[in-house]
Amino acid sequence: MDLLILPNSNCFSSSTLPVRSRFSLSVRLSGRKYSSVPPRRNYFCSASSPDTLIAGSCNEERKPLEVTSKKEDDYGDLKLWMHENGLPPCKIVIKERPSNDTKLKPIHYVAASEDLQAGDIAFSVPNSLVVTLERVLGNENVAELLTTNKLSELACLALYLMYEKKQGKKSVWYPYIRELDRQRGRGQLAVESPLLWSKTELDYLTGSPTKAGVLERAEGIKREYNELDTVWFMAGSLFQQYPYDIPTEAFPFEIFKQAFVAVQSCVVHLQNVSLARRFALVPLGPPLLTYGSSCKAMLTAVDDAVQLVVDRPYKAGESILVWCGPQPNSKLLLNYGFIDEDNSYDRLVVEASLSTEDPQYQEKRMVAQRNGKLSVQVFHVYVGKEREAIIDMLPYLRLGYVSDLSEMQSVISSQGPVCPVSPCMERAVLDQVGDYFRSRLDAYPTTLSEDELLLGDCNLEARKRVATQLVRLEKKMLNACLQSTVEFINELPDTSLSPCPAPYAPALK
C-alpha cells in the first residue's frame, strides 16, 4: 500500500485528496512537559449529541451533525462522496435495517448490488480514502515509536478522528465520520460494546469472565487517554494543525472512550503491510460489512488500494460477509457488540497452575516444560470439543498430584506426559475438575433454562438479550465439560473409591 499523507482538511475541493508534506519534529520533550507550547484557554469540547461517538466541535453546542444539501438519513452520501474522490465502480450498495432501539437510527450495511460469484471483487477502496497511522502521524518511524511505547493504534486513530470531527463539514472525512456517528459503534445486533454499558447493564454479564475483561479494557483505555498528550506532542501533523488543542484539555475522557469504541468496532487489521499501515479505517468496511465466523473473505491490501474479494455467491440485495478472525464470542461482544451463535471459534479459558509450595515444584515445572506446558498453563476449551479439552488437561493435573519421591523420579525419567497415578488419585483429579466446572456454573445468577425463557421474550432489551446469549453459550460449554468429567469418573474401575488427599493439587481458575 502506498498511502498519501493526511490532507489539509480545508483543501478538499477536487476529486482527489491532496498530499501533505511530511513533518519534521521541531520541538523536543524537556524536563517540563510542553514548555514551548503557547498558553491557551482551558475548556472541554462536548460530544455533538447523545447518539454521537466522536467528539464534536466546541462551537457545535451539542447539536448533531447535519447535511444541508441532502436529507439527514440519505444513506447514499458516503458512497457518493467516495466515488467523487476516487472509488472506482463497485458491486455493492448501502442498505439499512431497523435498530432494536426505536429511538436510534437504522443500522446501515453493505449489500450486493448485483448477483456475485465467489472470487468477484465487491469493491476496491483507494488508499487515498483509507486512514492509517502513517497518514495520521505523517511519519512511519514516529508511528512505530508511539505504538510500541504504551500507545495503541486505536488510540491514535481515535484522537485523529476527534480532531477531524471538530472541523465539522470542513473536514475531508466529514461524510465518513458522519457515518461512524450514525452507527454509534453498534454491531450487527444493534448493540454497542459493553465498554459503553452502564454498571447495571454490565451486571447482565455476572458470572462470565467477559465482565472482568470489559473492566480491564476500560482501565486500559484510561491509560491510553493519559498518554494522548504525548501523541499530540510528538506527531507533527497533529501539532502543526492543532497547536493549542492539547488532547486531554480539548476532549474529556468519556468522549475519548466513545471515539475509541467507535474505532474499535470498525478498524481493519491488514496483512503483509508495515506496522504503521496494519490498522486501517476503510470506508465501506466494518461496521457496514457483516462479520461472519464461517466466512473467509477478508479486506486485503493490494497495490494502491484495499479490496474485498467475496468467498461465496450472493444474490443482489444480500448482506456481504467478511471474516473477523478466529475470535470467541466474548471478544466479538467486547469489540463489536454482537454474538455469533454458530461461532466455531468460541471457547472458554481454564487456567491451571502448579503449587509453588510443593517441595517438588521445580521438578514438576521441568517436566511440564519438557511437555510444552508452563507452571501456569492456559487451556482453551473450544465449543464442541469439550471432551478433548478435558483429556488435554488431565496429564498436567495428574503431575500436580504426584507426591511420592520414587514416583516423581519415574516421571522425570519417562518420555511423554505420563504420570503413574492410583485409581483413588485419578478420582481426586476428576473430582477437582468436576467441582471447578460446577463452581463456574454456580457463579451465574441464572440457570440455562432461565436463559432460554428470557431469550424467548421478543421484548427483551437488546443489551440484556446479547448478554444472555453470551452467558447461555458459556454455560452450554461448561455443562459439556462437566458431563465429560462425570463420564470419565464413571469409567473408573471402582467408582466407589474415595479420592486420595493431595496437599499440593494444582489450582484451577
Side-chain angles (χ1 to χ4, degrees), residues 109-126:
Y109 66 96
V110 167
S113 61
E114 59 188 74
D115 290 353
L116 299 177
Q117 300 300 319
D120 285 351
I121 298 176
F123 59 78
S124 183
V125 178

Side-chain angles (χ1 to χ4, degrees), residues 204 206 441-457 460 464-465 467-469 471-473 475-476 479:
Y204 299 153
T206 297
L441 285 165
D442 290 342
Y444 295 96
T446 59
T447 64
L448 193 54
S449 59
E450 289 171 334
D451 293 340
E452 300 284 359
L453 287 175
L454 275 175
L455 293 174
D457 180 4
L460 187 64
K464 189 166 187 176
R465 177 175 295 279
T468 303
Q469 286 179 309
V471 298
R472 168 177 161 270
L473 293 171
K475 292 172 193 175
K476 282 188 170 184
N479 272 314

Side-chain angles (χ1 to χ4, degrees), residues 353-385:
S353 58
L354 298 173
S355 173
T356 56
E357 302 297 321
D358 190 338
Q360 302 181 84
Y361 169 74
Q362 293 297 340
E363 289 83 355
K364 292 180 180 180
R365 185 171 68 92
M366 178 190 67
V367 172
Q369 290 177 341
R370 190 176 65 191
N371 290 281
K373 300 292 190 292
L374 302 172
S375 56
V376 179
Q377 178 63 38
V378 171
F379 294 92
H380 290 122
V381 181
Y382 284 90
V383 61
K385 298 181 179 179

Side-chain angles (χ1 to χ4, degrees), residues 422-443:
S422 63
C424 73
M425 191 67 76
E426 182 74 353
R427 178 60 186 265
V429 173
L430 292 171
D431 278 356
Q432 182 189 9
V433 174
D435 290 342
Y436 166 76
F437 288 119
R438 289 187 189 93
S439 68
R440 285 192 61 166
L441 285 165
D442 290 342

Side-chain angles (χ1 to χ4, degrees), residues 31 146 159 204 237 244 272 304 321 340 344 370 405 421 481 499:
L146 291 176
L159 176 60
Y204 299 153
S237 56
Y244 301 102
N272 302 318
D304 57 352
L321 301 177
D340 186 348
S344 60
R370 190 176 65 191
L405 291 177
V421 293
C481 288

